[in-house]
Amino acid sequence: MSQDNTKKSPSFGKIMLASGVGTLIVLILIGFFKLLMFFGIVGSLNSSDSAVINNNTFLKLNLTNSVSERTPSELDELMSNGSDVGFADMLRCIAAAANDERINGIYLYFGSTYPLSWGKSEELRQSLIDFRASGKPILAYADNYSLQGYFVASVADNIYLNPSGMIDFRGIGAVSLFFKETLDKLAVKMTLVRPKSNSYKSAGEMYTMDHFSESNRKQVREYIASIWEYVVAKIADARDISPEQLNNMADNLTAYLPEDAVRNGLIDTLCFESSIKARMKDEYNSTHTVTLADYATTLKKNVAAKQQIAVIYAEGDVVTGSGFKTAVYSDNITKALDDAANDEKIKAIVLRVNSPGGEVTASEIMTNAVMRAKEKKPVIVSMSDVAASAGYEISCNANYIVAEPTTITGSIGVFATIPEVGGTLKRYLGITTDTVKTNTNSVSMSIIRPISPAMLDLMQRNVEEFYTVFVGRVAKGRGLPYEYVDSIARGRVWTGHDALKLGLVDALGGLNDAISIAADSANITEYQVVDYPLQDNLLTELMNRKNKSSGTAKINDNPASADILPTPYPMRAAAGDGVWMGSKLMLETLSRICETKGLQARVEFFILTD
């Protein structure tokens, strides 16, 4: 009798059970390790240990990463690719290093990229000039200097350049992209609505023209010329080279290559970065460097003083609502202004503005909040790189405005862009439309139908009326005649240098100057500067953020998830304009064409050096 040695296969149910149990165990282990990593991150972020600073140390400023106005929160720092020290704290560290016996000097490292624009560059440069008054040296090194980077580096005692590097010293040029032909090919019709006098309000022209308008060409030419003239004068003074020589170098590219830059006096030494530490030791007896982030942790945190000055940061596009992305959210800024105004310890408020503009409703809400706060204590505005359009409106009713000579400001005007994509749907998708309505203009704001003449007239009246309101806000806030403000407004952009002569700002300077003016206005001599609102720790912020909307600044990151058919709601538009640096921004702008909402007060800001 034969014996059956065939093994029975496990049942399907047993296989699934084993697989499920195994998967569950793996998921539990992954979750456990993620939890361990999370608490490890939390523990490291909440660690109070400060870096040890040796004597004879150079403070190293790595100027290759983007820098926000304010030091990011613990969560933002964890998620960000930018600098972990905000610009305000960078200035505080430089000021502290001047009087720190452990710090022998400052080392500026530019690498191959320098992200700061003109306003911050001027403010950083001035803080370095103040540092040099301590008698301590500043060394600057780059693999390649951008024009803004070299402008900052020009105050250094010694300027070093990679032997294979170059200086992008060829003046300032403005380049704007125009999408009219693209929209024509896509059968998208774009209507630009702006006050009849606002010929300088040019941001919407990118959709309706294929070249600079004469008004826009004029204003761009004048404000970049103003910046260039200022930059040349400062470099000429720092390097003992005449402005005529510098302009000749820019025209003929005779300072671009390393040997030419040395021969013409823009660079002191060609070397690699590895040589810098040896020079620090040989020339300045320094054997250590400390990063800006590590040095910031050593600065003592003062116990809350009885007298404080609050600094509130308004950075990014002006949008309604609340949120946590880089934007000037109306709810966030309004709450910060109201809280600071009602806090008895706060004796004055500094509103730090770095915004190209945005939504009218949001700017009106924040302008009203500034006016309320001003009734209780001094409100001083410090303008950074750009404070224009809606960014200027929220500033104009402060007690005092401080701007950098290179700040972009003004653009007192308004516009709306109205897209119509019905032709696109028909041409490329074969989609046609029909309507049923109760009244004449029921569907007059649908972006898949042509705007009706009556609605276009209404929108024209709307922009005209808001422009009148905007000019009136400025006239009242600045104590100027309405007719005069109208003559210098009309959407026109000015530099801080020119804005001072026009009466749009009160003084030239940076954040520290604004804080000093705030202290004088409040009649206080001893005070503590606090960044407002106070930042939560990591765990608290994680809990709070789930309850915050992203405001109207959010752009759909997944176009595939968007509705194929546009909804017949009024116009939606992302706020603000920025510097064009690549195809990503161009694609983002194109994605916003069909997402427009309401009126905007934006500034065209296309200053490029490449």
Side-chain angles (χ1 to χ4, degrees), residues 117-119 122 172 174 200 218-231 383-389 392 401-412 478 484 488-489 491-509 603-607:
S117 193
W118 288 112
E122 164 61 15
I172 301 176
Y200 293 103
K218 176 183 177 182
Q219 72 171 345
V220 172
R221 182 188 296 115
E222 291 188 7
Y223 72 66
I224 66 173
S226 176
I227 294 174
W228 175 245
E229 182 180 358
Y230 180 82
V231 167
M383 293 181 170
S384 183
D385 295 319
V386 55
S389 206
Y392 185 78
I401 300 176
V402 182
E404 292 293 350
T406 54
T407 295
I408 299 298
T409 190
S411 193
I412 302 164
R478 300 301 300 162
Y484 171 74
I488 61 173
R492 186 162 182 176
V493 170
W494 305 97
T495 62
H497 177 269
D498 293 333
L500 177 64
K501 294 185 290 186
L502 295 170
L504 294 177
V505 305
D506 297 294
L508 299 179
V603 56
E604 183 178 36
F605 183 42
F606 300 127
I607 298 182

Side-chain angles (χ1 to χ4, degrees), residues 97 214 254 268 300 320 360 378 400 402 419 483 511 587 592:
E214 287 307 309
T254 52
D268 296 305
K300 294 181 180 180
T320 55
V360 164
Y400 204 86
V402 182
E483 294 74 18
L511 177 59
L587 292 174
R592 294 192 300 227

